[in-house]
Amino acid sequence: MALQKTLSLLLLLLLTLLGLGLVQPSYGETMYERFLRQHVDSTGTGGTNLYCNTMMQKRGMTSRGCKDFNTFIHENIGTIISICNTPNIQCKNGKMNCHAGIVRVTDCRYTRSSSSPYYSDRAIMGGDQPPICNYQATASTRRVVIACEGNPLVPVHFDS
């Protein structure tokens, strides 16, 4: 009985930490590493639908379904981190840890999923293949808002 109570308390603690965002379940990444994976491509120029289709899959954003929208920043990490040193502004969630800067980006907007014959056959056979996601790319230089945390400050969330 005591063991069951202890396990219940440990489960409750884990769920609380997950809810607070203090434990990172995906890929064992920190929030900074996740930001880099999802939003930074300093060597690419982007701008094409093929770029978005490839990068969204390569960076793991289509494995459980097609992510509706994502932005890739085409600047070196030093430039992105320097945005964290601009004045604080309010984030969409109301926190005051966001910062704005102007950077080169490719916005990838989900348009549709398609199925290849291989995907259909795997689905019929009980396979668990991810969908083939298609994206529309828009390249631009624009204002972005990122949330930063830590000491020193690093980007942890793309706000807009």
Side-chain angles (χ1 to χ4, degrees), residues 53 62 65-68 110-116 119 130-135:
N53 294 341
T62 61
C66 302
K67 185 175 180 182
D68 288 336
Y110 169 70
T111 57
R112 63 181 169 82
S113 295
S114 62
S115 297
S116 68
Y119 176 71
I132 298 169
C133 305
N134 291 297
Y135 290 89

Side-chain angles (χ1 to χ4, degrees), residues 42 54 60 84 147 158:
S42 58
T54 302
C84 293
F158 192 93

Side-chain angles (χ1 to χ4, degrees), residues 59-78:
R59 297 288 180 96
M61 290 179 278
T62 61
S63 58
R64 294 185 185 162
C66 302
K67 185 175 180 182
D68 288 336
F69 187 84
N70 192 68
T71 300
F72 289 102
I73 301 172
H74 305 296
E75 302 288 351
N76 68 56
I77 192 59

Side-chain angles (χ1 to χ4, degrees), residues 88-98 145 147 157 159:
N88 292 50
I89 60 173
Q90 188 171 16
C91 304
K92 289 178 183 176
N93 67 5
K95 287 186 171 183
M96 288 300 295
N97 65 325
C98 277
V145 177
H157 175 72
D159 207 52

Side-chain angles (χ1 to χ4, degrees), residues 40-52 55 59 71-75 103-108 137-141:
V40 179
D41 182 23
S42 58
T43 61
T45 55
T48 68
N49 295 350
L50 178 59
Y51 171 84
C52 284
M55 289 298 287
R59 297 288 180 96
T71 300
F72 289 102
I73 301 172
H74 305 296
E75 302 288 351
V103 292
R104 292 175 295 123
V105 301
T106 297
D107 293 315
C108 301
T138 305
S140 64
T141 298

Side-chain angles (χ1 to χ4, degrees), residues 6 31-32 58 78 91-92 106-107 120 122 139 143 147 149-150:
T6 301
M31 291 174 68
Y32 172 62
K58 183 177 170 183
C91 304
K92 289 178 183 176
T106 297
D107 293 315
S120 299
R122 293 281 295 160
R143 179 182 185 264
E149 293 179 358

